Structures are given as structure tokens and as C-alpha cells.
Amino acid sequence: MLLSWLRKFRPSSHSAKCILIPAANYTSNQRLAEVGKFESPKLSGKYETGQLFLHRVFGYRGVVLFPWLARVYDRDVPNKKETKPIEESLNYNQVGKEVKGRAHTYYQVLIDSRDCPYIRAQTEAVTFLGNQDNGRTLYAVPGLDYIAHEDVMPYIAGDKRPIRHDLFDKFLAHTPEKDPPFGARETLKAWQERNHPWLELSDVHKETTENIRVTVIPFYMGCRESQNANVYWWRYCIRLENLGDLTVQLRERHWRIFSLSGTLETVRGRGVVGQEPVLSRQQPAFQYSSHVSLQAPSGHMWGTFRMEREDGFTFDCRIPPFSLESKQEDTSQPTSVI
């Protein structure tokens, strides 16, 4: 897997920042090809549109499209008086008012299509509602992801088209006088502005149980009319990371979904998205997305994952509670550039 070779990187004799990957799309010959040289990560500020990177956790190659400023509600971080909230009016999360939101930079990125088969994350996880007539119709943008600032491992490549993705040339232009040497085309700017309501990342929720870190990012998708009633849709992206040494497997999920209409739904099932992923030292992370709908403009979700450790110990890993909040409706439909 891509993550395995990434975690085994060692500086080569001719360059301490040389990036080597298996050539020929990771065939069995294990021949390596150089794709670029690492840059020093930014400890402050943000990366610009066109920045090439390797993902710190999943190891894929990608390029930054544009940043988002998110509110991160981390239940592992104790509140401190000297920590300033993002805004006084947005001081606390709707669920669990003891947790303060702190500003953090995330990025909308494109994933290199050559790496998609080798990462433990859904590469078609960014979805949109379809036409107004059928609230169950969804379509996806392949190879689009959201990543945190600390997940960016920046690098420089000599290739004018270092990332293979159908949208790379539509969104980015090679500008050798710039740093990074790729700039946003008008197509990208227009697409971002048009699809802002469907793409916007605003809240991130984190919590750790028995060395299993769960990160949840909810997205509002819009409202559709179904059988003379409004149905509100959200998608949510979940990443699980094993921060310990013992291998752990996800066995079951248990969700509680509360709607502002007063209903409380319980959902139980085996695994997630048809899988029971194993989190080991070699492959410590797994990421997936799903959807939920309510007949009310807001609600809450929380729950647990039943985990089984390699020593036979089982425990419930908490999923941090998060709000499902609707936004002012935009009557325009999401647009594609393809």
C-alpha cells in the first residue's frame, strides 16, 4: 500500500529531500522513480493555490485548490483561558458547550488519480444533491478531498503536469515565475464561487478513546421536497486513526440521530460502508463518508464504534457529537466543469 512505502522513506545519499515512489503505477517490479523534492512545511500561515504535497497520513500526491477556515472542536484539548475563540458569537459548539472552537486552516485539494487505488479513503466522498425532483439523487466529484494544514507535506516537482486528474488543467495553469508554479484559472475561481454553499467546510470535531482518534466533518447539502415535506440533507466525513501500537478492528457502529422535530433515531450495524477496517501500525488510518437526512432544518448526531483489539479487548470508541445545521438556501444547483 502507498502508506507503507511512505512511512519507510529514508533520505537518499544525493538529496536529503528526494521523494521516491514505485514507478509504473506501483507494479510488482518495485522500481522507484523520483517525483520531486520535499520543501520545509509551513509552521504558520497557509499554503497557496497550486501547492503540491504528499498527504502525511494517506500518502497520496495532491495539489491545493483553495483554503477554508474551520472551527475545530477537539475534546482532547483542555480549555485554557489564554486560548482565544474564533469569534465571541461562535465561542462554543452547539453540542457539548464546554468545548471551545479554535480556528484552523483546511484545504480543498485534488488527489492524483494514479494514487487513488492505493489509499484507505474514499476518493469519491465529496458529493452533491442532484436535481430538485428526487432528493435521493447524488453525484460525486472523484478525487476531491479536504485536508488539515498539518497533513500537508509540500514538495517541488519539475513536471509541468505533476498531478494526474481530469480537473488539473481546467483549474490550474503552469506559471513558472510563481511559487508555487501553478496558479488558479478563472474556471477554478468561478467554480469555487458557484459551489461555495455545497463545498464549505465550517466545523471539525475530534475525540480520542483508547488511542483511537475519531475526526468528523459535517457538510450541509441542501433541502429537497419529498411527499409535500421538506427533507434536509447532510454528508459527513469520518477519519479513524490508531495512535497506539496494538492493532484494532472496527466491528460495529451505533448512531443516535436527534431531529429538531423531536424524533430520536437509533442506527446499529456491522462495520462502516460495508467494511470492518483494521487499523495497524502499518496502516493506521481509514476514512469514509456517509449521508443523513432529517425532516427538520437542524439536529444532532453522536454515537460509538465497537472496536476489537488484537489482544481480544473490546471497547466502545466515542464518535464526537456534532450539529446538523442548515444554511440559507441557495436555489442554484451545483455546477460541474466537466
Side-chain angles (χ1 to χ4, degrees), residues 5 40 42 47 61 75 80 139 146 181 189 234 280 283 333:
W5 61 256
S40 298
K42 290 186 176 182
Y47 295 101
R61 290 167 287 181
R75 284 161 175 78
K80 297 180 181 180
Y139 68 90
Y146 298 83
K189 297 175 183 178
W234 292 263
S280 64
Q283 298 177 335
Q333 288 292 298

Side-chain angles (χ1 to χ4, degrees), residues 92-113:
Y92 294 100
N93 184 7
Q94 292 290 325
V95 182
K97 292 184 180 296
E98 75 284 357
V99 182
K100 291 184 178 180
R102 295 170 173 86
H104 197 72
T105 302
Y106 277 70
Y107 300 95
Q108 193 93 58
V109 303
L110 291 180
I111 305 173
D112 194 308
S113 60

